[in-house]
Amino acid sequence: MALTRDATAPARGAMARRPAFWLWAGACLLGALIAFRLIGAHVAAFPGGSIAGLALMAPALAAGVWMLRRLHPVRSRPVGYALISVAWGGLAAFGTALPANAAFQAVLAKTAGPDFAAVWGAAIAAPVDEEILKLLGVATLALMAPSAIRGPLDGWGYGALSGLGFQFAENFLYVLNTIVLTGATQDANAAFFSFGSRVVGGAWWSHWAMTAVGGAGLGCLLGRASRTAFLAAAGAFVLAMALHSWWDAPVMSGLALMPVKGAPILLAAIVTYRLARRRYLSHFRRTVHAETASGVFVPGEGHVLAFRKWRRKERWDVPAGEPRRLLARLRAAELDLIEEGLGGLEPDPLAAARLRARIRDLRRDLRASAANPRVA
């Protein structure tokens, strides 16, 4: 599993030497311990329902991770970074959100009354606590691997993955709650009901979508800090909390109205993605044109670089073995060079020059290997 995204990203050993890595590991462990302390007894009491819930929801989680990784328009997000984000959401954010939400709602009950807290507590407490905790996963990843977050598209993707991890853990909690509410007499049916309502019916506009919106704003700020980026990050975070509050508000309740209530959340995530994607592709085209004009890229390479299917087809036109490996390294270095210009938390002014030199060396080696002359 490769945790590095490009040639300038830290190796796994270097990542482990960063304090943020140990913050991530410690927060995930703490969240897991808190969650186990609060729901472990229920899991032990209802093993059949717990296993059924996990068996139903684990494939949905895997499908969600695959889909969110593939939503990058040029190349899939590294699986290592994706799993780091999912683990943060499902362990660190979820576990610490449980006591945080309880404490927030206790304060509301004392200040506004227990009746108000019972009705509106979730819509007030959860958006604040949970969106902050999930977004901290994006910031932690950026501190662990600065090249992972280079702009709003990266922030959107890893925010969505953090939200997806939280969503999975919360759905499992709902399985346990449903078992209790049904008198612990139909464990498997409770798992199927929770899967149908929470995954089949509600997964399209849940935590992944809310945190994707906030993550895009944070990614804009982490990619290149400015006053405009700060305002974008603040606005996206407020919007994510507003969407979360709308979803938890005691209005338009019931399964029949779920698509109507969830539509604004899904729409916000889609619009944010489209804007971030357009910004990324605009930078991609500009960089390809500039590098082609300077002689680093060969004319026509931009079209191959922009599409996975053309890169896959190209590999089959090259002899197996070292030529094919050289071609893969060349394409990876070229994509790294394109993304280097997006910025990042720790920009390296010499990285672009190193990547251009590496591209020239790889192209020379590829030519010497008698591989595809069109790319040599």
Side-chain angles (χ1 to χ4, degrees), residues 3 19 48 237 249 254 369:
L3 287 181
F237 177 61
S369 71

Side-chain angles (χ1 to χ4, degrees), residues 242-267:
L243 294 171
H244 196 150
S245 182
W246 161 251
W247 182 248
D248 287 346
V251 296
M252 300 181 67
S253 302
L255 291 176
L257 293 176
M258 186 179 292
V260 179
K261 191 173 183 179
I265 302 172
L266 180 60
L267 180 62

Side-chain angles (χ1 to χ4, degrees), residues 15 32 40 66 87 120-121 129 135 150 156 166 169 179-180 209 211 222 233 241 254 261 265 274 287 309 319 344 364:
M15 183 185 292
W66 178 86
W120 289 97
D129 295 336
L135 272 183
R150 294 193 181 275
W156 190 97
F166 190 100
I179 292 173
V180 174
T211 315
L222 293 173
M241 288 195 299
K261 191 173 183 179
I265 302 172
R274 295 293 298 181
T287 306
K309 64 178 181 179
R364 184 188 63 246

